Amino acid sequence: GHDPEMTFDRWGKDTADVYRFVTTLPEVDPSRVGLIGISSGSEAALRCAIDYATPAFVVSIATCASPNYGNWPAQILCRDLEALQRGETSDCCGLQFKLGFFLDAVGRAPIYSIHKIECPVFFLQGSVDNAKRRGDALMAYEYMAMAKRKCKHKEIPGGDHGLDNVVVVRREEIQNWLSEIGIN
């Protein structure tokens, strides 16, 4: 849809719709279908697994699990609340968003409900990614581990945001983890 109308909740629902469609295809084994999200796509994958579907697994790369990203949605919400309530937009990460985005990003971030995810989750990060993403991955992993959920955290030395500079390593790490959890 149109950027100003976007929320992560809507993106999570859309992800669940795609997941459900794919798992109904006759040639697909639903027990092997999971989600891989990179950066803000990781929030959509996590939201989907928290609220809308139970995939076989989630791989979260450059994890976005808290409202601690970009130019801080909570700060923008406080600063621009009156304008947002009038229907105006505010910039977050170079895009214009309406009030619903900020309320959703701040109030319903995955970190608050990460313990509800029932499938295994692999938090895969690059060591040179920004501190916010690295912190989100570790915090989400620790919350899931405390809740006795199946999860793994790994930081790839020299890996950037999205691990785009170590694509072969990224692929190998995901394949190895899928084997570890019995999805080959």
Side-chain angles (χ1 to χ4, degrees):
H2 187 56
D3 283 342
E5 305 298 329
M6 181 269 199
T7 67
F8 286 110
D9 183 57
R10 187 173 300 132
W11 199 2
K13 286 178 186 173
D14 291 347
T15 301
D17 288 344
V18 171
Y19 168 79
R20 282 193 275 284
F21 171 76
V22 168
T23 58
T24 64
L25 298 174
E27 66 273 17
V28 172
D29 177 355
S31 69
R32 297 170 44 120
V33 177
L35 307 172
I36 298 176
I38 300 175
S39 193
S40 57
S42 71
E43 182 157 352
L46 294 169
R47 292 273 192 113
C48 176
I50 289 167
D51 292 325
Y52 303 108
T54 304
F57 63 87
V58 172
V59 178
S60 178
I61 301 170
T63 301
C64 186
S66 76
N68 181 23
Y69 60 88
N71 44 1
W72 300 77
Q75 290 178 343
I76 297 166
L77 180 61
C78 291
R79 182 194 69 210
D80 298 346
L81 181 60
E82 290 179 14
L84 290 164
Q85 287 175 325
R86 288 191 304 269
E88 297 175 26
T89 62
S90 288
D91 179 274
C92 184
C93 303
L95 297 171
Q96 294 295 312
F97 294 104
K98 290 187 175 183
L99 178 61
F101 169 83
F102 294 98
L103 293 174
D104 180 62
V106 173
R108 297 202 57 242
I111 199 66
Y112 307 133
S113 304
I114 200 90
H115 63 280
K116 294 180 179 178
I117 296 178
E118 296 178 14
C119 66
V121 179
F122 186 16
F123 297 98
L124 187 59
Q125 294 300 128
S127 68
V128 296
D129 194 357
N130 71 66
K132 293 173 185 176
R133 297 289 59 83
R134 291 173 64 210
D136 268 15
L138 188 56
M139 182 170 48
Y141 163 75
E142 289 175 349
Y143 284 178
M144 285 193 74
M146 285 189 303
K148 308 260 189 268
R149 299 294 190 195
K150 190 168 190 158
C151 58
K152 181 176 181 176
H153 176 269
K154 183 155 188 180
E155 199 166 273
I156 306 301
D160 62 7
H161 185 77
L163 302 172
D164 295 325
N165 66 330
V166 290
V167 173
V168 172
V169 173
R170 177 178 69 191
R171 185 180 63 243
E172 289 172 354
E173 289 294 339
I174 293 169
Q175 288 172 334
N176 291 339
W177 178 72
L178 290 173
S179 291
E180 286 173 25
I181 64 170
I183 299 176
N184 303 349

